Amino acid sequence: MMRLVRTVALGALVLGLTAPTASADDTSADLFKQKWAMCHGAKGAGKGKVRALSSAEVQQQSDADWKTAIEKGVKNDQGTMAGYAGKLTPEQIDGLVKYMRSLKK
């Protein structure tokens, strides 16, 4: 019986060490695709009146500005974006900012 327990425990340990895990970049890309790509486009190029996240003007904004926009949302003459404060962790928001920075032209 002890041998079976050890074998199962060792197997679980090996599986845990070898199971693929998603990187933070993959998770951020997936989150962007789920929440922002429908309006900002898959590559951040914008759609219609929605600003291009990849534009030089938007890319010049600080990370703090981007975090505030994600947390509190944005409302301007181009439209409204809901805020995600309390819905996303600080780590998710940081990952999104990093991912969105990678979309620059």
Side-chain angles (χ1 to χ4, degrees):
M1 179 69 166
M2 279 304 278
R3 188 173 187 188
L4 177 62
V5 170
R6 285 185 195 144
T7 303
V8 170
L10 181 60
L13 178 63
V14 169
L15 286 174
L17 293 175
T18 61
T21 57
S23 72
D25 290 341
D26 291 341
T27 303
S28 298
D30 290 340
L31 190 56
F32 178 84
K33 289 174 189 167
Q34 292 170 10
K35 305 284 186 190
W36 283 272
M38 68 187 85
C39 295
H40 289 282
K43 303 283 186 193
K47 290 184 176 181
K49 295 191 313 182
V50 178
R51 296 176 79 181
L53 299 176
S54 58
S55 73
E57 178 186 350
V58 174
Q59 288 286 327
Q60 288 175 355
Q61 294 177 341
S62 71
D63 286 359
D65 290 338
W66 284 38
K67 289 176 187 181
T68 298
I70 293 169
E71 291 170 347
K72 295 184 178 183
V74 176
K75 185 173 183 178
N76 58 32
D77 60 341
Q78 296 171 326
T80 302
M81 180 184 89
Y84 288 88
K87 298 175 186 174
L88 298 175
T89 66
E91 293 80 15
Q92 287 174 309
I93 293 172
D94 288 342
L96 279 166
V97 170
K98 181 180 175 186
Y99 178 77
M100 289 185 223
R101 289 270 183 225
S102 76
L103 300 174
K104 65 184 170 189
K105 291 182 181 177

